[in-house]
Amino acid sequence: MLRRTWGWSLPLVVLAGTTLFANLASAYTPNLLLADNTRWPGAVIKFTQEGERDMHVVDPALLPRDARDAVPRVGSVAISPRGEVFYCSGLDGVVYKLDGGRPVVVHQHGPPVRDLAFGSQNDILFFSVVRTPQNGEALADGEIFRKNVRTGEYGRVGVVHQTDVGGNWWGSMTVHRGQLYIATMGRTSRILRLRTTGWETMMETSSLVVQGIDFENGGDLYLVAGTGMIHRSTNLRDIENVNESRVSRFADLALEPEATADVPGLGIEVSDSLLRTGDWATRRP
């Protein structure tokens, strides 16, 4: 039962003749990009049915001049519908696009940019911002922004109030079929969906501290939780382990876009309006 919360892709990496991913489930899993934020420098990992490989390893010497002081890690990764790859460290305000294998700065923010996501529009990048608590203070409310990476125009979509989502929201989010989803961390992690009436809890788990989420076009939810395991839920209730890396630890993931577009008529009229106007930022009973 749903509970309503009010408020507002090279050579394959091989070790001893074995790919570094262990397939745990027999079902098909899509191609993925993953953010390994435990490596220094950080890396974007590409996973396919054949195994994993480094798609991009951050080289501090090759960072753009305006980002030389940025943290050389990868905390979040996103893929646009046309297949362009974007990433951020999750520890500063710099967002990069990979252009011919080299990082290009597409956005710089003040507070840390925590997560990145695309919907069905090629040029509209969503990103979350949550300030780092200082001196024992409580985790602040977060914000979600949208940016047109072609024109440079950006603005705030809305505020995620910690009290409205059960707390522990560090910015994890995704956009699926026109709807905004977020994931909280903590002893109980929650996956919530934004509705006109507020935040709706879609799933809860106390077995994972969820750090990154993304949906397959068919509706399966993929999750990572800071380990080498990739998890999946086909019903927003049960979670299975589908693959495990023997060398990497993942903070985020992004599914490669499919040929099919977002399915209309599944709440897009709701979220498109909210995501354009930011009305949900003030929809508090």
Side-chain angles (χ1 to χ4, degrees):
M1 182 175 181
L2 301 180
R3 189 183 76 206
R4 197 171 300 280
T5 304
W6 299 99
W8 146 47
S9 286
L10 299 163
L12 189 65
V13 177
V14 176
L15 181 62
T18 304
T19 62
L20 298 181
F21 258 106
N23 292 314
L24 304 177
S26 58
Y28 164 79
T29 52
N31 293 345
L32 300 166
L33 293 186
L34 301 119
D36 185 346
N37 73 339
T38 61
R39 288 171 57 174
W40 189 276
V44 177
I45 309 296
K46 181 168 184 176
F47 164 70
T48 67
Q49 292 297 107
E50 289 73 32
E52 71 172 304
R53 65 174 175 84
D54 289 349
M55 179 182 183
H56 176 73
V57 177
V58 179
D59 184 345
L62 296 180
L63 289 177
R65 182 171 300 177
D66 54 351
R68 288 291 167 86
D69 294 329
V71 181
R73 281 191 143 169
V74 179
S76 178
V77 62
I79 314 175
S80 75
R82 64 166 61 98
E84 296 170 323
V85 177
F86 295 75
Y87 75 90
C88 67
S89 73
L91 299 172
D92 55 37
V94 186
V95 179
Y96 306 92
K97 171 187 172 182
L98 289 182
D99 186 0
R102 298 179 66 95
V104 176
V105 174
V106 297
H107 184 77
Q108 294 195 68
H109 214 75
V113 173
R114 302 294 188 176
D115 202 4
L116 310 173
F118 278 89
S120 60
Q121 296 179 278
N122 280 317
D123 298 317
I124 303 302
L125 172 69
F126 294 93
F127 62 92
S128 61
V129 172
V130 182
R131 294 179 181 273
T132 303
Q134 303 291 329
N135 302 317
E137 64 186 5
L139 183 62
D141 295 338
E143 301 171 286
I144 295 178
F145 293 80
R146 69 198 304 266
K147 175 162 185 162
N148 187 315
V149 295
R150 180 177 55 84
T151 66
E153 179 184 11
Y154 86 102
R156 193 176 79 171
V157 173
V159 177
V160 178
H161 298 278
Q162 299 289 351
T163 56
D164 293 344
V165 300
N168 292 310
W169 184 66
W170 284 86
S172 179
M173 65 168 186
T174 192
V175 178
H176 174 58
R177 292 180 173 176
Q179 296 185 326
L180 176 65
Y181 293 78
I182 66 171
T184 66
M185 302 171 64
R187 292 184 178 180
T188 298
S189 287
R190 297 178 176 89
I191 311 299
L192 303 101
R193 177 174 61 176
L194 179 64
R195 308 299 299 270
T196 54
T197 49
W199 291 102
E200 183 179 50
T201 299
M202 307 301 295
M203 186 175 85
E204 292 185 340
T205 177
S206 58
S207 62
L208 301 176
V209 179
V210 177
Q211 295 188 22
I213 58 173
D214 201 7
F215 283 91
E216 191 178 17
N217 198 61
D220 291 353
L221 174 65
Y222 285 77
L223 313 91
V224 291
T227 70
M229 194 74 70
I230 300 172
H231 311 272
R232 175 176 61 199
S233 178
T234 61
N235 56 12
L236 292 180
R237 182 181 66 250
D238 305 309
I239 298 175
E240 62 179 339
N241 303 330
V242 293
N243 280 285
E244 182 179 19
S245 172
R246 301 189 180 112
V247 295
S248 301
R249 299 293 179 266
F250 303 125
D252 193 28
L253 78 168
L255 277 69
E256 289 195 341
E258 300 185 13
T260 50
D262 283 349
V263 178
L266 296 176
I268 291 179
E269 70 284 352
V270 171
S271 58
D272 271 2
S273 174
L274 291 169
L275 294 176
R276 287 196 188 103
T277 65
D279 287 347
W280 63 273
T282 56
R283 295 180 70 89
R284 299 171 58 84

